[in-house]
Amino acid sequence: MYNWKLWIWPGLAAVACLTALAIWFQAGVVEADLKSRALAALRQDNAWAQVSLKGRDLILTGLAPDKDSQSRALKTVRTTYGVRVASDNSTLLPEEKPFRLTVEKNVDGLVLSGFVPNESARANILAGLSNLLPGIAVSDQMKLARGAPDGLVDLVTYGLSAFTRFSTGSFELTDYSLRVSGQALNPDDHQAALAALSAPLPSGGVLESVNIMPAAVSGDYNWSASISADGMELSGYAPDAVTRDGILATAKASAQDRPVTDLMRFASGVPSGMDWNAATAEALAIVSHLNGGTVSIRGKVLDVSGQAVDGQAFRQIQEMLATGLSSGLVLGTADIGVAVASPYVWTATRDGEAVSLSGVLPSEAVRARILEIAHLKFGALQIIDSQNIGAGAPDGFETAVLTALQALSRLDDNAETRVEDQAVIVQGAALSQVALDDTARLLEEGLPQGFEGQSSMDLAPTPEASLQVSDCQAELNRLVATNNVLFETAEAAIQDHSYGFLDHVAFVARQCGQAQLEISGHTDSDGAEVANLDLSERRAKSVLAFMIAAGVAADRMTAIGYGESKPVESNETDAGKAANRRIEFRVLN
C-alpha cells in the first residue's frame, strides 16, 4: 500500500520554506515603504530626525534641536499610515547659553564658527553669504546646539550687511546682541556700512557696538564748510566719530539757527602735527562771519572765499587771518568781499557828551575819513563807532554822509542825521537862525546828484533866565575844553568843521545877559611876530563876525589879537604849537 506520509512531509517542508521566504521579502518591502513615507513626512519641519523599523514598529532617532521638535517629530511618525508602534530614541542637542555665532572676514575668505540650531539655519546663512559675497571662500565650522535666539538668520543677515564694505572684519552674535567691526575699503564704503547698520534691527536684536576703522584717503586730506541763506553744508573727512560730532556741534553753534547738512565721511590721514578739531573750529569761526561762501582745508592749507556779513565781520575775518592760525593751518587764498546791504543806511546821533556813528559804509578808507572828519567837527566829544563795511553804496554816498555829518554838527543834543540809499534825513534843533538856514541850504544845494534832502528842524529855544557871570565863564570854558576853532592854514577863514562848535559858543553867549565878552586870537611862534599878531587879530575878528551872525549883540563883544605873546605850552613841540594856536572867550564883567 502506498504510504502518503513518505512523500507529503518533504512537500510541506518546501512549502514552509517558500512561505517564510515570501514573508521575509514582503516585510522588507513594507519596512522600506514605511521608512520612506515617515522620512518624507519629517523632511519639511524635522529634517534632523532619522528612523529605523522592525516590521511596522518605528524608532525615532537623531539630534533634536529642542523638546518641541522632538514632540512634533514623534507625533508625525505616529500618524504615518502603517506604523503600528512609534518609540522615541532621539536625543536633544546640547544647549549653549549664551548662544554665540561669529563670522570673520580675512584675506583668505570667511570663517564661520559658533553654533546654529539646525541644518536649515546653516543652509540659509551660507546661501545669504553666497549672495552677498559671491565666489568668496567659506570655512564652515559652525556646530549644532540648542538655545538660538528667535530670528537667528535675520539677525545674522543684518550683521553681515556691511561686510561688502570691509576688506577685513568680524561679526559677533551673542544671543540678541550684535557687535560689528571692520576695516572700511574707502571713505564711501565706510559711510555705506554705517548707513546699512543704521536700519532698525530685526527680531528684537540690539546693536551693542560698531567699530569701523577708516580707510586712508588718496590725495590730500580735505574738509570744507559752505554757508548760504539756506544753511550750512559740511563735507570732507573726519578721523573718527568723536571728532565728527565735535565738528558738527561747532558748526551748529556757528550757523546761527540755519540748518546744518553733514556730508562728512570717515577717513584716516590727518596731516602730522595737526589737531583736526582745532583746525575745523578755526575754519568755522571764519564761516560764522560769512553771509555766503566756503572755507576749505586741503592738507594744512586754508582757503577762504565768500561775502562777509558786514564790515565788522569783514574786519574780524581779516584780524583772524592776520594774527595767524594756531591749529597748524597755513593761509592759502582769501577772496572775501562784503555782502550787499539793502537798504544802504548810515546814521549819526548826538546825545550829551557823545556822537554815535552806525550803519554801512563802502570801504575802510571811507570809514577812516568819516572818523577823522567827525573828530574835527566834534573835538573831544566821544565818537562811538559802530559803522560796518558793505557793498551796494550808491554813487556819492561818502559825500552825502559828510554833508549829513556837517548838518549834525550845527544841531543841539538829541539830533539825528541819516543817509538811506539816496535820501539824507535831518532831525533836530538848530542853535541859531543862521545855523538853521545854513543847514537847510546845505540839504538843498550841497548834496551829490541824485540825492534828496529831507529835514525836520526847528530853532532851539534860548532859556529865559540869564547866566551869572561866573556861570557864563564856566560854561564857555567847558566848551573850549572840548574843541577849538579851526582856520584855513595861515588864513583867517574859519573852516566849516568849527561852525557847529561856534554855534554852541554863541548859544551860551546869548544866555549871558549884558556881560561883555572878549574874543582873543593866539598863534604859535612860527613866522614873524608882527605877522602872527596880525593873523591872530584877523582870526579873532572872523569869530566875532560869526558870533554876530549867530545872534550875539555886537556891542557886547570885542576882538583882539595877541599873536605869539601868550603861549600856554612850549613852542618847541608840535603839540605845544597846536595848543598855542587858539581862540579864547573871556567874560569881562
Side-chain angles (χ1 to χ4, degrees), residues 18-59:
L18 291 173
T19 301
L21 285 172
I23 292 172
W24 183 82
F25 281 116
Q26 183 63 34
V29 172
V30 171
E31 287 180 3
D33 176 61
L34 283 177
K35 184 175 183 178
S36 175
R37 286 188 289 110
L39 289 175
L42 291 168
R43 189 173 297 119
Q44 183 174 359
D45 296 319
N46 298 284
W48 58 270
Q50 298 295 319
V51 296
S52 61
L53 285 102
K54 290 184 179 180
R56 290 189 297 125
D57 295 341
L58 184 146
I59 302 171

Side-chain angles (χ1 to χ4, degrees), residues 193-465:
L194 289 174
L197 295 173
S198 66
L201 274 78
S203 306
V206 176
L207 189 58
E208 185 176 306
S209 67
V210 175
N211 182 21
I212 303 175
M213 298 298 294
V217 298
S218 58
D220 289 330
Y221 200 85
N222 61 69
W223 178 90
S224 68
S226 298
I227 194 166
S228 68
D230 297 327
M232 184 185 294
E233 181 177 286
L234 307 177
S235 60
Y237 303 121
D240 52 60
V242 173
T243 301
R244 182 177 183 172
D245 291 345
I247 293 171
L248 187 58
T250 303
K252 289 179 178 179
S254 302
Q256 300 175 355
D257 297 327
R258 283 178 280 192
V260 176
T261 302
D262 178 17
L263 301 179
M264 292 184 289
R265 297 169 296 166
F266 292 111
S268 61
V270 174
S272 176
M274 178 175 287
D275 182 338
W276 201 243
N277 233 334
T280 54
E282 285 190 314
L284 286 168
I286 295 172
V287 171
S288 68
H289 296 300
L290 295 178
N291 191 51
T294 300
V295 175
S296 61
I297 301 173
R298 296 174 293 107
K300 292 187 176 183
V301 178
L302 175 72
D303 296 317
V304 184
S305 64
Q307 298 288 322
V309 173
D310 51 34
Q312 182 179 359
F314 180 84
R315 291 194 299 275
Q316 289 174 324
I317 293 173
Q318 297 287 51
E319 289 172 4
M320 283 188 280
L321 297 178
T323 55
L325 301 163
S326 61
S327 62
L329 287 172
V330 177
L331 181 62
T333 60
D335 182 12
I336 308 167
V338 182
V340 174
S342 181
Y344 209 89
V345 180
W346 177 91
T347 303
T349 58
R350 180 173 186 161
D351 184 11
E353 300 300 316
V355 174
S356 298
L357 308 178
S358 61
V360 191
L361 292 172
S363 69
E364 285 293 339
V366 172
R367 176 174 171 268
R369 176 165 168 75
I370 296 302
L371 288 173
E372 178 187 5
I373 298 300
H375 283 295
L376 292 175
K377 294 184 184 300
F378 299 103
L381 290 182
Q382 181 186 9
I383 305 296
I384 300 174
D385 178 20
S386 301
Q387 301 168 111
N388 293 315
I389 308 303
D395 291 341
F397 194 81
E398 178 185 357
T399 302
V401 167
L402 291 173
T403 301
L405 202 59
Q406 175 64 15
L408 183 70
S409 73
R410 304 298 300 270
L411 303 177
D412 200 1
D413 290 342
N414 302 315
E416 177 183 281
T417 58
R418 186 169 77 256
V419 183
E420 184 170 341
D421 291 330
Q422 290 186 303
V424 179
I425 304 160
V426 178
Q427 297 174 323
L431 296 173
S432 68
Q433 186 62 50
V434 69
L436 183 64
D437 294 342
D438 285 351
T439 304
R441 185 166 51 254
L442 184 66
L443 294 177
E444 291 178 4
E445 303 173 0
L447 293 175
Q449 184 176 0
F451 282 78
E452 178 186 7
Q454 302 173 16
S455 66
S456 176
M457 298 184 296
D458 53 15
L459 274 175
T462 303
E464 295 181 2

Side-chain angles (χ1 to χ4, degrees), residues 503-528:
D503 285 337
H504 283 77
V505 172
F507 188 71
V508 170
R510 296 206 310 269
Q511 300 175 52
C512 294
Q514 296 303 311
Q516 295 295 303
L517 188 65
E518 178 188 271
I519 303 170
S520 59
H522 303 265
T523 68
D524 58 29
S525 60
D526 287 351

